mmCIF file of all heavy atoms in Angstrom:
data_model
loop_
_atom_site.group_PDB
_atom_site.id
_atom_site.type_symbol
_atom_site.label_atom_id
_atom_site.label_comp_id
_atom_site.label_asym_id
_atom_site.label_seq_id
_atom_site.Cartn_x
_atom_site.Cartn_y
_atom_site.Cartn_z
ATOM 1 N N PRO A 37 7.245 -34.495 18.969
ATOM 2 C CA PRO A 37 7.066 -34.453 17.515
ATOM 3 C C PRO A 37 5.612 -34.294 17.070
ATOM 4 O O PRO A 37 5.348 -33.649 16.067
ATOM 5 C CB PRO A 37 7.649 -35.784 17.033
ATOM 6 C CG PRO A 37 7.805 -36.632 18.240
ATOM 7 C CD PRO A 37 7.872 -35.732 19.425
ATOM 8 N N TYR A 38 4.653 -34.848 17.797
ATOM 9 C CA TYR A 38 3.242 -34.714 17.406
ATOM 10 C C TYR A 38 2.727 -33.295 17.596
ATOM 11 O O TYR A 38 1.723 -32.914 16.997
ATOM 12 C CB TYR A 38 2.363 -35.683 18.178
ATOM 13 C CG TYR A 38 2.476 -37.132 17.727
ATOM 14 C CD1 TYR A 38 1.817 -38.134 18.400
ATOM 15 C CD2 TYR A 38 3.248 -37.500 16.623
ATOM 16 C CE1 TYR A 38 1.904 -39.451 17.989
ATOM 17 C CE2 TYR A 38 3.346 -38.812 16.215
ATOM 18 C CZ TYR A 38 2.664 -39.788 16.897
ATOM 19 O OH TYR A 38 2.755 -41.091 16.479
ATOM 20 N N ARG A 57 0.546 -28.072 10.099
ATOM 21 C CA ARG A 57 0.245 -29.388 9.515
ATOM 22 C C ARG A 57 0.223 -30.443 10.615
ATOM 23 O O ARG A 57 1.133 -30.517 11.439
ATOM 24 C CB ARG A 57 1.277 -29.772 8.464
ATOM 25 C CG ARG A 57 1.031 -31.151 7.850
ATOM 26 C CD ARG A 57 1.940 -31.472 6.689
ATOM 27 N NE ARG A 57 1.734 -30.597 5.560
ATOM 28 C CZ ARG A 57 0.714 -30.679 4.694
ATOM 29 N NH1 ARG A 57 -0.210 -31.583 4.870
ATOM 30 N NH2 ARG A 57 0.633 -29.838 3.675
ATOM 31 N N LEU A 58 -0.820 -31.241 10.579
ATOM 32 C CA LEU A 58 -0.964 -32.360 11.513
ATOM 33 C C LEU A 58 0.137 -33.381 11.261
ATOM 34 O O LEU A 58 0.476 -33.670 10.105
ATOM 35 C CB LEU A 58 -2.342 -33.003 11.292
ATOM 36 C CG LEU A 58 -2.824 -34.034 12.287
ATOM 37 C CD1 LEU A 58 -3.054 -33.386 13.643
ATOM 38 C CD2 LEU A 58 -4.128 -34.663 11.801
ATOM 39 N N HIS A 59 0.724 -33.906 12.334
ATOM 40 C CA HIS A 59 1.751 -34.955 12.210
ATOM 41 C C HIS A 59 1.137 -36.150 11.475
ATOM 42 O O HIS A 59 -0.018 -36.527 11.722
ATOM 43 C CB HIS A 59 2.218 -35.370 13.611
ATOM 44 C CG HIS A 59 3.385 -36.296 13.601
ATOM 45 N ND1 HIS A 59 3.261 -37.647 13.373
ATOM 46 C CD2 HIS A 59 4.708 -36.066 13.778
ATOM 47 C CE1 HIS A 59 4.444 -38.218 13.418
ATOM 48 N NE2 HIS A 59 5.344 -37.276 13.663
ATOM 49 N N ALA A 60 1.906 -36.746 10.571
ATOM 50 C CA ALA A 60 1.422 -37.866 9.756
ATOM 51 C C ALA A 60 0.885 -39.017 10.608
ATOM 52 O O ALA A 60 -0.063 -39.690 10.220
ATOM 53 C CB ALA A 60 2.531 -38.366 8.838
ATOM 54 N N GLY A 61 1.469 -39.216 11.780
ATOM 55 C CA GLY A 61 1.024 -40.289 12.666
ATOM 56 C C GLY A 61 -0.354 -40.058 13.264
ATOM 57 O O GLY A 61 -0.949 -40.967 13.834
ATOM 58 N N LEU A 62 -0.890 -38.847 13.128
ATOM 59 C CA LEU A 62 -2.207 -38.522 13.684
ATOM 60 C C LEU A 62 -3.271 -38.328 12.608
ATOM 61 O O LEU A 62 -4.445 -38.152 12.932
ATOM 62 C CB LEU A 62 -2.123 -37.244 14.533
ATOM 63 C CG LEU A 62 -1.200 -37.295 15.740
ATOM 64 C CD1 LEU A 62 -1.112 -35.926 16.403
ATOM 65 C CD2 LEU A 62 -1.681 -38.343 16.731
ATOM 66 N N SER A 63 -2.884 -38.375 11.350
ATOM 67 C CA SER A 63 -3.840 -38.058 10.285
ATOM 68 C C SER A 63 -5.011 -39.037 10.219
ATOM 69 O O SER A 63 -6.112 -38.652 9.843
ATOM 70 C CB SER A 63 -3.135 -37.951 8.936
ATOM 71 O OG SER A 63 -2.517 -39.163 8.606
ATOM 72 N N ALA A 64 -4.796 -40.297 10.598
ATOM 73 C CA ALA A 64 -5.889 -41.281 10.556
ATOM 74 C C ALA A 64 -6.988 -40.956 11.566
ATOM 75 O O ALA A 64 -8.159 -41.273 11.333
ATOM 76 C CB ALA A 64 -5.337 -42.681 10.813
ATOM 77 N N GLU A 65 -6.644 -40.300 12.669
ATOM 78 C CA GLU A 65 -7.660 -39.982 13.677
ATOM 79 C C GLU A 65 -8.300 -38.613 13.463
ATOM 80 O O GLU A 65 -9.264 -38.278 14.122
ATOM 81 C CB GLU A 65 -7.086 -40.082 15.091
ATOM 82 C CG GLU A 65 -6.081 -39.026 15.451
ATOM 83 C CD GLU A 65 -5.527 -39.186 16.852
ATOM 84 O OE1 GLU A 65 -5.226 -40.318 17.263
ATOM 85 O OE2 GLU A 65 -5.396 -38.165 17.524
ATOM 86 N N ASN A 66 -7.789 -37.813 12.528
ATOM 87 C CA ASN A 66 -8.315 -36.472 12.303
ATOM 88 C C ASN A 66 -9.811 -36.457 11.979
ATOM 89 O O ASN A 66 -10.522 -35.565 12.435
ATOM 90 C CB ASN A 66 -7.521 -35.739 11.230
ATOM 91 C CG ASN A 66 -7.846 -34.267 11.180
ATOM 92 O OD1 ASN A 66 -8.253 -33.668 12.167
ATOM 93 N ND2 ASN A 66 -7.686 -33.675 10.022
ATOM 94 N N HIS A 72 -8.739 -30.899 15.149
ATOM 95 C CA HIS A 72 -7.796 -31.736 15.899
ATOM 96 C C HIS A 72 -7.055 -30.882 16.937
ATOM 97 O O HIS A 72 -6.588 -29.787 16.615
ATOM 98 C CB HIS A 72 -6.799 -32.424 14.962
ATOM 99 C CG HIS A 72 -6.113 -33.563 15.613
ATOM 100 N ND1 HIS A 72 -5.063 -33.388 16.491
ATOM 101 C CD2 HIS A 72 -6.341 -34.890 15.557
ATOM 102 C CE1 HIS A 72 -4.668 -34.566 16.933
ATOM 103 N NE2 HIS A 72 -5.419 -35.499 16.381
ATOM 104 N N THR A 74 -4.098 -30.956 18.210
ATOM 105 C CA THR A 74 -2.726 -30.541 17.925
ATOM 106 C C THR A 74 -2.669 -29.449 16.852
ATOM 107 O O THR A 74 -1.740 -28.643 16.857
ATOM 108 C CB THR A 74 -1.827 -31.732 17.522
ATOM 109 O OG1 THR A 74 -2.355 -32.355 16.359
ATOM 110 C CG2 THR A 74 -1.710 -32.736 18.653
ATOM 111 N N ASN A 110 -5.943 -31.762 7.153
ATOM 112 C CA ASN A 110 -4.717 -32.067 7.888
ATOM 113 C C ASN A 110 -3.751 -30.893 7.934
ATOM 114 O O ASN A 110 -2.736 -30.961 8.626
ATOM 115 C CB ASN A 110 -4.029 -33.291 7.299
ATOM 116 C CG ASN A 110 -4.791 -34.567 7.593
ATOM 117 O OD1 ASN A 110 -5.650 -34.606 8.462
ATOM 118 N ND2 ASN A 110 -4.493 -35.598 6.845
#
Side-chain angles (χ1 to χ4, degrees):
Y38 286 175
R57 178 173 296 283
L58 190 66
H59 188 280
L62 299 174
S63 61
E65 69 181 42
N66 192 27
H72 197 281
T74 60
N110 289 344

